[in-house]
Amino acid sequence: MDTETRDLLPEGLEDRLPQDTAAATRITRALMDVLDSHGYDRVQPPSIEFERSLASRMAGIQTRRMVRFVDPASLRMMALRSDMTPQVGRIAVTRMKNAARPLRLAYAGQVVSLKGDGLDPTRERLQIGAELIGHAGVAAAAEVVAVAIEALQAAGATGISVDFTLPDLVDALSAGPWPLTPAQLAAVRRELDAKDAGALVQAGGAAYLPLLHATGGFVAAMDKLSALAVEGVLDGRLSALQAIAERVQAAGGDVRLTLDPTERHGFEYQSWFGFQIFAQGVQGAVARGGAYAIIGADDGAEGEAAVGFSLYPDPLITALAAQEAKRETLFLPLGHDASAAARLRAVGWRTVAAISAGDDARALGCSHRLDGLEPVRV
Amino acid sequence: MDTETRDLLPEGLEDRLPQDTAAATRITRALMDVLDSHGYDRVQPPSIEFERSLASRMAGIQTRRMVRFVDPASLRMMALRSDMTPQVGRIAVTRMKNAARPLRLAYAGQVVSLKGDGLDPTRERLQIGAELIGHAGVAAAAEVVAVAIEALQAAGATGISVDFTLPDLVDALSAGPWPLTPAQLAAVRRELDAKDAGALVQAGGAAYLPLLHATGGFVAAMDKLSALAVEGVLDGRLSALQAIAERVQAAGGDVRLTLDPTERHGFEYQSWFGFQIFAQGVQGAVARGGAYAIIGADDGAEGEAAVGFSLYPDPLITALAAQEAKRETLFLPLGHDASAAARLRAVGWRTVAAISAGDDARALGCSHRLDGLEPVRV
């Protein structure tokens, strides 16, 4: 057999070795413990489901980039999950539809895509998240943003900034004060994404030009948006954003707030409110969330309101792994006192027992050695 | 859309709801903490790999029951892992080939198969395991069995019994003192599996008849095997088993030992030693392990000796979930003192904050309510 074939991993997939895995385990526990402390109950959906089930729960989810295969039992298409949020939504509106609202659910698991995304070849990520189901107003959104920040800080993230967005703002403006034809709407959205002022005007979106400039530090961007005075569409959204920002700042911590009102990338199913969180030394967003609707059993209905977030901790883990403290480990020589070793483990020692006379405490990474009943430094 | 299609899960796949997930989280942490305390470093291989890579690392692994698909990047076959042990073996002999031996690695993750197995439709399981790489002798095997038992006991398993087996015993006997033709060997193996004495004799395996009776309680079965006095094949294996049993019993705990020397089911790649662990109230084996060889970069070599085990905690989680203690939770009314709530979370309280005036502490499962700065029972 071709040795290379067997030893290489496919593009975009990686092994995590001991030091990084220790960081991943610590960070995952820290994140989940914060979600749990705020009353988010963890659930565990399966890794694979019917493709339809993964795709139909929220607007805008695409199955094109999922690993798909035929279920030999039902002969229907199944897929490997690429996002756990729709699964948690499914649980909320089916098996937990009679649970009291607001329903707080948390989750953690691996998500996989068939291909990488643009320049990022990554095909598997850890996703950790929390969803508050039954409300999607200011209080719910503010809680969710504050919990996401607290979780990241507990995991060791520093230099946190939160970028707010209004994912359906352009839809709402075009349906009201700043009308656009469907063709113009698509073009205006594209040019706002590209932040291309000239092309935006050419696309018939001159009215939308001020949105391009209302971007950056939260206070200044809010001032610019407020000055637009677009009745009925902006007012409610801006006062909601203001209230969320105040709640986040009241929670303390050194958090920088920014606003990019037309940012849509990564907000496939969010409605009036979206946010991304960034941390120092970590490339890309470490969290993304917002308000959305879970499509229920009755397709005609509006769906159940929800707000939540997903953390993608892998880059944070990589950034923090180098600083992960090396743990003290106790070498147990051949013929050691087993009950002494058990007592030391019970008070937190990590032990490595000799298997043969040749085993070397230092080579095995041990900081101490059991000498009689006492640990001594090696 | 067909609502049923969207809401149902495929056969053999399940959601875990809050109470079961709380048990799963607690049990997983308890198991991993014991492995960690004995010096097993956790690693995290990816969920998907090249099919060849998953299949070629140990003898006897079949890809037939794996979810497989074509990698759009390389156009080679990939598969969803159905067993993490070969992945950990790959890490040990490639990226960690220069790490000191014995190398102790641990892992936890979901494994998936395309179809259920016989009467059990389950297609996804949690697998947790530990591998001791570089030795597969008595000391290594004894450590591994003792660690598996300690982990299960820490997770709450009771009434533990360990069933030892000698997976390659029939091969060794047929190559030595009790010769068989290749056709006879296959038939003898089959009839030993079926425990059919008559068919075993007909298949030319009369010499093997005593093995069928040397099954059950460890001491009695060992006595019967010892009485066979098959020089060179049984002697070494029996003294090794005896030493492992003594070490396991020395570790204490109320553990019952049994022996089924020809048991092969579930021991696809194990060599001289295998074991299964059972727990009270849990159907099927909760752990399975033994000695094996990791096929290295050089196919001609014997492979690196290793011994390890895999735990399949799902049935244990289900068995223990009903007893999972309900946690005390503190309801935070609208307008509560946020810093008091934060202080209480810091000392271990779990909180649920009101989102609207209609939120009800009892309905939300809260045991307490924040009254000023103090929790009071609801």
Side-chain angles (χ1 to χ4, degrees):
Chain A
M1 176 177 302
D2 174 2
T3 300
E4 290 259 309
T5 299
R6 195 178 57 195
D7 293 346
L8 285 179
L9 284 178
E11 185 181 87
L13 296 164
E14 280 188 6
D15 292 318
R16 202 172 256 150
L17 298 188
Q19 179 153 354
D20 281 31
T21 308
T25 301
R26 183 188 61 72
I27 288 169
T28 299
R29 288 187 183 192
L31 295 171
M32 294 307 290
D33 284 349
V34 169
L35 307 193
D36 181 75
S37 77
H38 285 275
Y40 289 79
D41 281 326
R42 185 169 176 182
V43 291
Q44 287 183 325
S47 301
I48 54 177
E49 284 203 30
F50 289 129
E51 178 188 9
R52 278 192 157 195
S53 182
L54 291 170
S56 67
R57 193 57 64 187
M58 286 161 205
I61 294 187
Q62 294 183 341
T63 60
R64 196 173 39 85
R65 290 183 52 241
M66 291 183 195
V67 171
R68 287 175 289 179
F69 56 95
V70 175
D71 175 14
S74 65
L75 301 180
R76 300 219 310 257
M77 283 304 283
M78 289 177 66
L80 192 45
R81 67 183 176 209
S82 60
D83 182 356
M84 293 181 76
T85 313
Q87 299 190 294
V88 174
R90 175 179 56 68
I91 291 174
V93 299
T94 59
R95 290 187 65 190
M96 297 191 76
K97 69 175 174 220
N98 296 323
R101 263 50 176 175
L103 177 64
R104 287 173 174 85
L105 297 176
Y107 55 90
Q110 298 296 121
V111 294
V112 172
S113 56
L114 184 60
K115 299 184 204 182
D117 180 8
L119 292 176
D120 180 5
T122 306
R123 292 201 264 183
E124 177 170 15
R125 296 194 290 179
L126 171 61
Q127 182 182 16
I128 290 180
E131 310 295 332
L132 195 158
I133 295 142
H135 287 259
V138 167
E143 170 173 317
V144 154
V145 177
V147 168
I149 294 169
E150 185 181 330
L152 286 166
Q153 288 174 332
T158 54
I160 284 178
S161 70
V162 182
D163 190 32
F164 293 117
T165 182
L166 296 166
D168 69 357
L169 177 63
V170 173
D171 287 350
L173 289 170
S174 72
W178 297 352
L180 295 172
T181 66
Q184 282 178 319
L185 176 60
V188 162
R189 276 208 194 117
R190 194 173 54 240
E191 301 311 339
L192 284 169
D193 286 349
K195 307 214 187 294
D196 183 334
L200 181 61
V201 173
Q202 270 196 316
Y208 291 77
L209 218 38
L211 296 181
L212 273 192
H213 302 292
T215 294
F218 185 75
V219 174
M222 284 288 280
D223 284 347
K224 285 181 189 157
L225 281 182
S226 304
L228 298 180
V230 185
E231 304 249 331
V233 173
L234 268 174
D235 295 2
R237 285 178 167 81
L238 295 188
S239 61
L241 277 188
Q242 188 63 46
I244 295 168
E246 280 165 15
R247 160 82 190 263
V248 168
Q249 281 169 328
D254 179 24
V255 175
R256 181 168 173 261
L257 301 184
T258 59
L259 176 60
D260 188 349
T262 65
E263 176 67 40
R264 292 187 311 137
H265 181 73
F267 296 97
E268 289 81 8
Y269 44 77
Q270 280 79 6
S271 54
W272 71 271
F273 171 66
F275 68 100
Q276 297 185 82
I277 306 184
F278 299 87
Q280 199 171 4
V282 181
Q283 207 175 5
V286 287
R288 186 175 287 135
Y292 61 96
I294 304 168
I295 300 168
D298 174 0
D299 274 339
E302 263 193 12
E304 184 165 15
V307 56
F309 63 84
S310 293
L311 303 163
Y312 296 98
D314 292 325
L316 180 67
I317 290 164
T318 306
L320 296 179
Q323 314 157 22
E324 197 68 17
K326 179 93 188 138
R327 294 173 51 209
E328 302 215 308
T329 302
L330 177 64
F331 182 76
L332 306 174
L334 286 180
H336 66 271
D337 182 324
S339 57
R343 276 196 304 275
L344 288 164
R345 276 192 299 273
V347 297
W349 279 94
R350 183 171 204 244
T351 64
V352 165
I355 292 296
S356 69
D359 288 2
D360 181 70
R362 270 177 194 280
L364 292 171
C366 296
S367 56
H368 292 71
R369 164 188 192 89
L370 187 63
D371 187 358
L373 300 177
E374 294 302 321
V376 294
R377 282 226 161 255
V378 292
Chain B
M1 178 179 297
D2 175 2
T3 300
E4 291 257 311
T5 299
R6 195 178 55 196
D7 294 347
L8 287 178
L9 285 178
E11 185 180 270
L13 295 165
E14 280 188 6
D15 291 318
R16 201 170 256 150
L17 298 188
Q19 181 154 352
D20 281 32
T21 309
T25 302
R26 182 189 61 72
I27 288 168
T28 300
R29 287 188 182 192
L31 295 170
M32 293 308 289
D33 284 349
V34 169
L35 307 193
D36 181 76
S37 77
H38 284 276
Y40 289 79
D41 281 326
R42 185 170 176 183
V43 291
Q44 289 184 323
S47 302
I48 54 178
E49 282 201 32
F50 288 128
E51 178 187 10
R52 278 192 157 194
S53 180
L54 291 169
S56 67
R57 193 58 65 186
M58 288 160 201
I61 293 187
Q62 294 183 343
T63 61
R64 196 173 40 83
R65 290 184 51 242
M66 290 183 196
V67 171
R68 287 174 289 178
F69 55 96
V70 175
D71 176 13
S74 65
L75 301 180
R76 301 221 308 258
M77 283 305 283
M78 290 177 65
L80 193 44
R81 65 182 176 210
S82 60
D83 182 356
M84 293 180 75
T85 313
Q87 298 190 293
V88 173
R90 175 180 54 69
I91 290 173
V93 299
T94 58
R95 291 188 64 190
M96 297 191 75
K97 69 176 174 220
N98 296 322
R101 265 51 176 172
L103 176 64
R104 289 173 172 86
L105 297 177
Y107 56 89
Q110 299 297 121
V111 295
V112 172
S113 56
L114 184 61
K115 300 184 202 180
D117 179 10
L119 291 176
D120 179 4
T122 306
R123 292 199 265 181
E124 177 170 14
R125 297 194 289 179
L126 170 61
Q127 182 181 16
I128 290 179
E131 310 295 332
L132 195 158
I133 296 142
H135 286 258
V138 168
E143 170 174 316
V144 155
V145 176
V147 169
I149 294 169
E150 184 182 330
L152 286 166
Q153 289 174 330
T158 54
I160 285 178
S161 70
V162 182
D163 191 32
F164 294 115
T165 182
L166 296 166
D168 70 356
L169 177 62
V170 173
D171 287 350
L173 289 169
S174 72
W178 298 352
L180 295 172
T181 67
Q184 282 178 319
L185 175 60
V188 162
R189 278 210 194 113
R190 194 171 55 240
E191 302 311 339
L192 285 168
D193 286 347
K195 305 211 186 296
D196 184 335
L200 181 62
V201 173
Q202 269 196 318
Y208 291 78
L209 218 41
L211 296 182
L212 273 192
H213 302 292
T215 294
F218 184 77
V219 174
M222 284 288 281
D223 284 348
K224 285 181 190 157
L225 281 182
S226 303
L228 297 180
V230 185
E231 304 251 331
V233 173
L234 269 174
D235 295 2
R237 285 177 168 81
L238 296 187
S239 61
L241 277 187
Q242 188 63 46
I244 295 168
E246 281 165 15
R247 159 84 190 262
V248 168
Q249 281 169 326
D254 179 26
V255 175
R256 182 169 172 261
L257 301 183
T258 60
L259 176 60
D260 187 350
T262 66
E263 176 67 40
R264 290 185 312 136
H265 181 74
F267 296 98
E268 288 80 7
Y269 43 79
Q270 281 79 5
S271 55
W272 72 271
F273 171 66
F275 67 100
Q276 296 185 85
I277 306 183
F278 300 87
Q280 199 171 3
V282 180
Q283 207 175 5
V286 288
R288 185 173 290 134
Y292 60 97
I294 304 168
I295 299 168
D298 174 2
D299 275 337
E302 265 194 10
E304 184 165 14
V307 56
F309 62 85
S310 293
L311 304 163
Y312 295 98
D314 292 325
L316 179 66
I317 290 165
T318 305
L320 296 180
Q323 314 157 24
E324 196 68 16
K326 178 96 184 133
R327 293 172 52 207
E328 301 216 310
T329 302
L330 176 64
F331 181 75
L332 306 174
L334 285 181
H336 68 270
D337 183 324
S339 58
R343 276 196 303 274
L344 289 163
R345 275 192 299 272
V347 298
W349 280 93
R350 184 172 202 244
T351 64
V352 165
I355 291 297
S356 68
D359 288 2
D360 182 69
R362 270 178 194 280
L364 292 170
C366 294
S367 56
H368 292 70
R369 161 186 193 91
L370 186 63
D371 188 357
L373 300 177
E374 293 302 320
V376 295
R377 283 225 160 255
V378 294

